[in-house]
Amino acid sequence: MEKTEVIELLSAEKIQQRVSEIGRQITADLAGTEQLLVVGVLKGAFMFTADLVRSIQIPCHIEFIRASSYGHSMQSSGNVALSGELDIENHDVLLVEDIIDTGLTIRRIAENFRKRNPASLRICTLLDKPSTRKYPVTIDYSGFSVPNRFIVGYGIDYAEQYRELPFIGTLP
Ligand code: IMP
Ligand code: MG
């Protein structure tokens, strides 16, 4: 498949700086936590999760869950399928997402998690598209607000392409 050119929105350096800041903030807010359960949402948040845990100075367990709603389209299907068995009861959980758009995906995951009695649950997203929110969510940590454009790079794909880019951009 031929790749169209990606227009850079956030440089690799800018992303790294912001990820470090969020890591420091989480470290400060959760000081005293013996162990944090970091749960990355696959696949989009794999790179962000990997960088973020390197900036969190609290012992972490790292897990991933899979939530797919887009398939190969640019529009969310509205259905969120969760896969991955996790024991979160009595754990301090940090959910790590790539983008919160309508809010549906993260709401479904958070609802599912809350039923399983975590000690605490916090939501961290690298990118937030506030203008397209349909399902309100309380976001504890957000990297950047982005406009309503289709985003790729730094873990985020279009039809499985562009995940490997170290920067974030938009497709024309
Ligand atoms: P939501 O359920 O509408 O909030 O959509 C969130 C999910 O859709 C995220 O986990 C992303 O994987 C995906 N998504 C939302 N916006 C984009 C985008 O601009 N590019 C790629 N994936 C996106
Ligand atoms: Mg996703």
Side-chain angles (χ1 to χ4, degrees), residues 1 3 8-9 13 17-18 21-22 36 43-44 53 59 71 76-77 88 91 98 107 109 120 125 132 134 154 167:
M1 202 191 286
K3 285 196 176 183
E8 187 175 295
L9 206 63
E13 198 188 12
Q17 275 174 10
R18 186 73 186 114
E21 269 173 31
I22 298 171
L36 184 61
K43 296 176 192 173
V53 292
S76 185
S77 66
I88 58 177
H91 288 86
D98 54 354
R107 282 229 359 196
I109 299 170
S120 66
T125 188
T132 46
K134 277 197 253 166
Y154 193 67
F167 61 91

Side-chain angles (χ1 to χ4, degrees), residues 53-73:
V53 292
R54 279 179 267 194
S55 304
I56 297 176
Q57 305 299 315
I58 293 169
C60 291
H61 279 186
I62 300 157
E63 296 282 354
F64 288 94
I65 52 163
R66 181 115 203 227
S68 41
S69 60
Y70 268 57
H72 280 204
S73 108

Side-chain angles (χ1 to χ4, degrees), residues 119-170:
S120 66
L121 178 65
R122 288 175 178 79
I123 294 173
C124 175
T125 188
L126 179 65
L127 305 177
D128 182 14
K129 285 185 184 171
S131 64
T132 46
R133 190 80 77 253
K134 277 197 253 166
Y135 306 87
V137 238
T138 304
I139 303 173
D140 299 281
Y141 304 99
S142 170
F144 302 94
S145 275
V146 289
N148 183 23
R149 301 281 305 278
F150 201 84
I151 306 289
V152 295
Y154 193 67
I156 301 161
D157 77 309
Y158 170 59
E160 295 304 324
Q161 297 187 94
Y162 310 106
R163 291 193 198 276
E164 72 281 12
L165 299 177
F167 61 91
I168 283 170
T170 60

Side-chain angles (χ1 to χ4, degrees), residues 66-116:
R66 181 115 203 227
S68 41
S69 60
Y70 268 57
H72 280 204
S73 108
M74 280 204 183
Q75 291 264 306
S76 185
S77 66
N79 298 313
V80 175
L82 274 188
S83 72
E85 276 298 307
L86 277 191
D87 179 18
I88 58 177
E89 192 167 345
N90 298 326
H91 288 86
D92 291 298
V93 178
L94 180 72
L95 249 176
V96 182
E97 180 57 304
D98 54 354
I99 307 183
I100 298 181
D101 181 14
T102 64
L104 180 66
T105 306
I106 202 71
R107 282 229 359 196
R108 286 279 160 82
I109 299 170
E111 278 165 16
N112 177 296
F113 274 32
R114 282 196 190 97
K115 284 188 210 144
R116 298 194 262 160

